[in-house]
Amino acid sequence: MRRTTSVLLSLSALLAASALTVPTAVAAPRADGPAAAPAGWEAVDATALARITGDKDALRAPLAEGNTAAAAAEPELLAVQSARNSRFVATEKNYAEPNTGLQRARSTEFGGSWESYAFEWDEATQTYALRSLANNRYVAVEKNYTGSAQNVLRARSTSVGGWERFVLYYNETLDRWALQSTLNGLFVAMENGYTGSLQYALRARSTDVTGSWEEFVLYDIGA
């Protein structure tokens, strides 16, 4: 198993290098573009993300012993770990409808494509689409679901629209990341208190980043 190396990255240097600027005040989501960053967080574009994942001291996802499936992955291919329960997010591609492709932070270690995602940057909207490598589908927010499943994330789309777009934020002090859906303006949270098939499900349901429920660690899948 590979050794995971942790380092606190200086986002201020990255932002200066990429000329990325964001408002410092919290603002409501805009209909014509990404929302403003919450206090203490910075929106991250493709240039900054590439520099972070390409850094020699960036976090590397340790493969399960004997698994070499992701050894040749590019830096923009990432694994996502919940800061709440320290588990990796996986695509439940074997779940039956209506939950096929559900996103759950349930893997105790990184094993391969089930926990792998391509973060695809769109310059026009200044947002990311997340493509699961488990089923080659884009992650969407299920806004029309009801009850405890409302706004769950599922890797189920073959193309990208408003349902599949997210703003990526970074907090330098915490060395953690957050995702905000542009569909409803809400932050993605991990449902640690759920039980059954929805336990550890990801939902775009928080109005702010209030703690570890909405915070994630990103790992580079590269060798």
Side-chain angles (χ1 to χ4, degrees):
M1 181 178 294
R2 293 177 185 158
R3 181 173 59 88
T4 302
T5 304
S6 178
V7 64
L8 180 63
L9 299 167
S10 175
L11 186 64
S12 58
L14 297 179
L15 297 180
S18 62
L20 176 63
T21 58
V22 295
T24 56
V26 177
R30 303 196 316 270
D32 60 345
W41 296 78
E42 301 281 2
V44 176
D45 67 1
T47 301
L49 182 60
R51 289 177 65 87
I52 291 171
T53 58
D55 189 283
K56 66 180 178 65
D57 292 321
L59 291 169
R60 309 285 172 177
L63 285 170
E65 188 172 355
N67 189 329
T68 58
E74 294 297 326
E76 68 270 14
L77 301 182
L78 305 171
V80 182
Q81 183 185 46
S82 168
R84 183 69 181 182
N85 68 358
S86 299
R87 297 189 177 219
F88 287 94
V89 176
T91 296
E92 301 294 2
K93 67 178 184 179
N94 291 336
Y95 272 21
E97 290 290 350
N99 291 323
T100 308
L102 183 72
Q103 301 298 292
R104 294 177 61 227
R106 54 83 165 162
S107 297
T108 56
E109 59 184 2
F110 175 80
S113 62
W114 289 66
E115 296 85 18
S116 301
Y117 298 86
F119 278 59
E120 300 182 3
W121 173 253
D122 180 66
E123 188 68 29
T125 61
Q126 298 284 291
T127 61
Y128 289 90
L130 278 59
R131 179 170 53 84
S132 168
L133 302 191
N135 62 2
N136 205 36
R137 299 292 180 97
Y138 289 99
V139 174
V141 174
E142 299 296 1
K143 184 179 180 180
N144 293 335
Y145 280 18
T146 59
S148 59
Q150 187 174 36
N151 297 325
V152 294
L153 271 58
R154 288 204 305 140
R156 53 85 166 162
S157 301
T158 57
S159 60
V160 179
W163 296 66
E164 295 82 18
R165 296 214 173 277
F166 299 87
V167 181
L168 180 64
Y169 294 100
Y170 181 74
N171 186 303
E172 180 182 357
T173 301
L174 300 175
D175 194 19
R176 290 179 178 173
W177 304 79
L179 285 166
Q180 184 180 40
S181 167
T182 62
L183 180 66
N184 61 10
L186 300 178
F187 288 90
V188 174
M190 191 278 294
E191 299 297 358
N192 194 59
Y194 277 17
T195 59
S197 61
L198 290 180
Q199 188 176 36
Y200 308 139
L202 268 55
R203 289 204 303 141
R205 55 82 164 165
S206 298
T207 57
D208 201 352
V209 181
T210 60
S212 60
W213 295 74
E214 297 88 14
E215 295 168 2
F216 298 89
V217 180
L218 295 186
Y219 288 83
D220 178 19
I221 305 174

